[in-house]
C-alpha cells in the first residue's frame, strides 16, 4: 500500500472514445524517462465532462490527446492546473490530419492559451505537440518580500572633469568696484548737461528749446531774405525769431548767456 501511494502518476485524457497505446507511448516519450516510469491512468471522452476524477495537486504528468481544435479550452486548462502538482507538466498532443502549416498554427494557439492559464515555459515540442509546466508553488502560498535598503546617494567627482570654478576666471581688476566720473554727461543721473559740457549735450538741449533742427542752425536759409537781419525784419512765423542776426549759409552762433533770463 505504501509503495502504491508513492507511485508517480501520469494521467492521459482524451476527447476520443478509444486511444491507441502507440499514441500514448509517443506522448510519454516526449515527456522523458520519468514519465515512462509513471503509473498511467486513462480518462476517455473527457470533453463531455467538466471535472477530472482526481484530487487536487495529485498528478505529476498530464497528457491531453485530442483531435478537436477546441479541446482543451480555457475552463479545462483551469481544471488541469487544479489536478497537477506544483511543478507538474502538461503535454497537449494533437492527432491531426491537416497540413503542417495548419497544425503549427493550432499548436501556437495552445501555447498562448497555456500561458494565459498561468502555466510557464510553454513551447512547441514538435509540429503537433505543446508542453508547459505548472508553477512550483501552491495557490495561497505566501512569502515575505525583502525590502531593499536605501543607500545614500553618493556623487563622485573626477579630478579630470571639465568643471572649473568660475571665480578663478576673474582677475584683480575685475573685482575692483568701478568709479563713476563726476560730471560725465553720459552717465549722470540728472540727465542734463553739466556745467562744463564737452560731449555736445548742452548744444542739443539749446536746439530743442529753440525748436530748430541741426540743419537750420548749421546752414540757415531764408526764402524772404530777411531772416538773417534780426527780429525787426522777420515775419511772425519765422523759425529764427528770437535769434541774433546772422549771415545766410553760415552757422548760427549763440552767446554763452543767450538762454539766461534777463531778470
Amino acid at each position: 500500500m505504501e509503495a502504491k501511494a508513492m507511485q508517480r502518476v501520469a494521467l492521459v485524457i482524451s476527447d476520443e472514445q478509444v486511444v491507441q497505446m502507440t499514441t500514448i507511448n509517443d506522448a510519454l516519450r516526449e515527456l522523458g524517462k520519468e514519465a515512462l516510469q509513471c503509473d498511467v491512468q486513462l480518462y476517455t471522452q473527457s470533453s463531455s465532462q467538466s471535472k477530472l476524477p482526481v484530487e487536487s495537486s495529485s498528478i505529476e504528468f498530464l497528457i491531453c490527446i485530442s483531435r478537436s481544435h477546441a479541446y482543451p479550452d480555457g475552463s479545462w486548462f483551469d481544471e488541469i492546473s487544479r489536478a497537477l502538482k506544483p511543478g507538474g507538466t502538461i503535454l497537449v498532443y494533437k492527432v491531426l490530419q491537416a497540413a503542417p502549416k495548419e497544425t503549427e498554427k493550432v499548436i501556437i494557439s495552445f501555447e498562448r492559451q497555456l500561458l494565459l492559464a498561468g502555466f510557464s515555459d510553454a513551447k512547441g515540442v514538435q509540429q503537433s505537440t505543446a508542453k508547459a509546466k505548472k508553477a512550483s508553488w501552491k495557490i495561497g502560498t505566501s512569502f515575505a518580500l525583502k525590502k531593499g535598503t536605501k543607500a545614500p546617494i553618493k556623487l563622485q567627482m573626477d579630478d579630470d572633469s571639465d568643471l572649473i570654478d568660475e571665480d578663478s576666471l576673474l582677475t584683480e581688476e575685475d573685482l575692483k568696484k568701478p568709479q563713476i566720473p563726476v560730471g560725465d554727461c553720459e552717465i549722470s543721473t540728472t540727465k542734463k548737461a553739466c556745467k562744463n559740457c564737452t560731449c555736445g549735450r548742452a548744444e542739443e538741449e539749446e536746439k530743442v528749446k529753440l525748436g530748430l533742427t541741426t540743419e537750420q542752425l548749421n546752414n540757415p536759409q531764408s526764402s524772404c531774405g530777411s531772416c538773417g537781419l534780426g527780429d525787426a525784419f522777420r515775419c511772425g512765423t519765422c523759425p529764427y525769431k528770437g535769434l541774433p542776426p546772422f549771415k545766410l549759409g553760415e552757422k548760427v552762433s549763440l552767446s554763452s548767456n543767450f538762454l539766461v533770463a534777463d531778470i
Side-chain angles (χ1 to χ4, degrees):
M1 294 294 292
E2 292 182 1
K4 185 68 175 179
M6 295 298 294
Q7 180 66 38
R8 302 169 73 180
V9 177
L11 178 63
V12 180
I13 63 175
S14 176
D15 58 348
E16 296 290 320
Q17 186 175 1
V18 178
V19 181
Q20 295 181 3
M21 194 62 195
T22 55
T23 304
I24 295 176
N25 288 333
D26 290 342
L28 289 171
R29 289 191 188 96
E30 293 292 345
L31 294 174
K33 294 181 179 180
E34 293 182 355
L36 290 170
Q37 298 172 358
C38 290
D39 183 13
V40 178
Q41 298 180 7
L42 179 61
Y43 184 45
T44 59
Q45 294 182 311
S46 57
S47 58
S48 61
Q49 305 297 322
S50 59
K51 278 195 172 185
L52 293 172
V54 294
E55 297 180 359
S56 299
S57 302
S58 61
I59 305 299
E60 190 156 353
F61 297 98
L62 192 146
I63 301 171
C64 180
I65 300 174
S66 171
R67 292 182 181 272
S68 172
H69 292 186
Y71 177 82
D73 55 10
S75 60
W76 262 107
F77 281 129
D78 293 339
E79 177 62 13
I80 291 171
S81 178
R82 180 194 67 81
L84 281 174
K85 292 180 179 181
T89 303
I90 174 177
L91 181 74
V92 180
Y93 192 97
K94 285 293 176 181
V95 183
L96 301 174
Q97 296 179 350
K101 290 186 177 179
E102 293 297 325
T103 305
E104 185 179 357
K105 289 181 180 179
V106 173
I107 295 302
I108 292 175
S109 174
F110 276 109
E111 288 178 22
R112 294 174 180 171
Q113 292 183 54
L114 287 167
L115 290 173
L116 291 174
F119 293 93
S120 61
D121 299 332
K123 58 183 178 180
V125 181
Q126 291 183 356
Q127 289 185 350
S128 61
T129 308
K131 184 169 66 172
K133 280 186 172 294
K134 182 182 176 180
S136 58
W137 41 265
K138 293 182 179 180
I139 296 176
T141 302
S142 62
F143 55 93
L145 296 175
K146 293 182 179 180
K147 296 182 179 180
T149 57
K150 294 183 178 180
I153 299 175
K154 295 182 179 180
L155 298 177
Q156 295 182 353
M157 300 295 294
D158 297 333
D159 295 336
D160 297 334
S161 63
D162 295 335
L163 299 178
I164 60 174
D165 187 5
E166 296 178 354
D167 293 338
S168 64
L169 302 176
L170 300 175
T171 62
E172 294 183 1
E173 294 294 329
D174 297 329
L175 298 176
K176 290 182 179 180
K177 184 177 180 180
Q179 299 294 328
I180 300 176
V182 180
D184 193 333
C185 299
E186 295 297 328
I187 57 177
S188 175
T189 56
T190 59
K191 296 184 180 180
K192 293 182 179 180
C194 57
K195 185 176 181 180
N196 301 321
C197 179
T198 57
C199 67
R201 176 175 285 187
E203 186 176 350
E204 292 298 326
E205 290 180 356
E206 291 178 357
K207 294 176 184 178
V208 173
K209 292 179 181 179
L210 294 173
L212 297 173
T213 63
T214 304
E215 179 63 25
Q216 288 175 321
L217 289 174
N218 294 337
N219 187 23
Q221 300 293 331
S222 175
S223 58
C224 62
S226 302
C227 295
L229 300 176
D231 287 346
F233 302 93
R234 295 168 182 159
C235 58
T237 58
C238 182
Y240 297 101
K241 193 170 184 179
L243 293 179
F246 57 84
K247 292 182 180 181
L248 297 177
E250 295 182 2
K251 182 178 180 180
V252 180
S253 59
L254 303 176
S255 59
S256 59
N257 60 349
F258 178 75
L259 295 176
V260 179
D262 296 334
I263 302 176

